[in-house]
Amino acid sequence: MKSFPSSGARFLTVKELQSKGWSRRMVTQYLGEPDHVGTRIPGRAGRPGKFYCADRVRRVEAMEPALAAEFQLVRAFTQRNEQTASARMASMLELIQDTQLPVLDQSLDDLLFEVRRSLGTPVAADVEYRLAVEKLLGTFALTVDALDLFSWHAGVCEARIRLRNRFLVHVSRTYPLLGEVALSLVANLQVDQSKLKGATHEPHSCLQRNRISD
């Protein structure tokens, strides 16, 4: 809320009105022209700010029955959207929890032999272990990528991370010698996940940010 010394009145921007439940259409229909046009609002490409007298807004809110009905409809719609998004998130996470992990029946010696053969030159044991875990992750990639079918779905980014983490824990239990490497990758993915709040509609960027790299 802003005040102007010349009038002493308090004013609201369109953004502040929207936070109170007003839509742009409702602002135009019930409030009409702004009471004050001021200097540009930061981030609005030089366009001047439009301000509406707070007292007039309160009077309109109190005197317009149709407006009250619209507010109620907006609140109901918002609540329904939130409930729907929560339900979609729950179903996605349930799907991930029910996804069957593959049986890892290759011996650790055979797995490490394949890693050494692909390298051609000797490397430190910890590098071998990391490459072995990444090789196993590669075999599971198709399962994770199958979530592309749900790219529109709320929570798909978190679901990818959870599914990959489940597999890494599975690797650590199947191959205890690789456990430290596998669990360290789980921790890294959890840190990345904290940076992805609000990015559930960007599944591909989520996948790219959480690729395991050398």
Side-chain angles (χ1 to χ4, degrees), residues 20 28 80 92 100 104 144 170 178 186 200:
K20 289 163 57 66
T28 301
R80 179 182 175 186
M92 174 62 73
Q100 186 169 355
L104 301 175
V144 176
H170 180 45
L178 303 180
V186 170
T200 56

Side-chain angles (χ1 to χ4, degrees), residues 21-198:
W22 289 76
S23 67
R24 288 187 177 274
R25 179 193 60 77
M26 290 161 65
V27 170
T28 301
Q29 181 176 343
Y30 294 102
L31 295 178
E33 292 299 316
D35 299 293
H36 183 86
V37 177
T39 55
R40 75 177 184 88
I41 297 177
R44 289 179 57 85
R47 286 177 290 175
K50 296 180 180 180
F51 299 89
Y52 296 83
C53 178
D55 288 337
R56 183 164 75 90
V57 170
R58 282 192 289 270
R59 288 196 301 271
V60 171
E61 288 176 340
M63 296 173 60
E64 288 283 357
L67 181 60
E70 290 208 47
F71 277 140
Q72 186 176 3
L73 183 62
V74 168
R75 283 193 293 269
F77 182 76
T78 301
Q79 185 178 17
R80 179 182 175 186
N81 274 354
E82 290 173 350
Q83 290 172 346
T84 303
S86 297
R88 286 200 300 265
M89 172 76 81
S91 66
M92 174 62 73
L93 297 182
E94 184 178 354
L95 172 66
I96 295 309
Q97 197 60 37
D98 291 342
T99 299
Q100 186 169 355
L101 300 177
V103 176
L104 301 175
D105 53 5
Q106 184 179 22
S107 72
L108 180 59
D109 287 340
D110 288 345
L111 177 61
L112 293 176
F113 175 77
E114 289 182 3
V115 169
R116 293 172 190 135
R117 185 174 60 182
S118 66
L119 290 172
T121 56
V123 295
D126 61 329
V127 176
E128 284 186 357
Y129 295 163
R130 182 179 178 87
L131 292 173
V133 172
E134 291 180 353
K135 182 177 178 62
L136 292 170
L137 275 172
T139 66
F140 193 57
L142 286 178
T143 302
V144 176
D145 289 345
L147 292 176
D148 283 344
L149 292 173
F150 304 94
S151 59
W152 54 271
H153 209 302
V156 67
C157 192
E158 181 178 354
R160 285 176 180 275
I161 294 171
R162 289 197 181 195
L163 183 55
R164 198 178 296 244
N165 281 351
R166 279 193 64 211
F167 181 73
L168 286 166
V169 171
H170 180 45
V171 168
S172 73
R173 291 171 178 170
T174 306
Y175 304 105
L177 197 60
L178 303 180
E180 183 176 351
V181 172
L183 294 178
S184 72
L185 294 179
V186 170
N188 288 340
L189 288 175
Q190 289 172 337
V191 169
D192 287 345
Q193 183 183 14
S194 69
K195 302 176 184 177
L196 291 168
K197 298 301 183 183

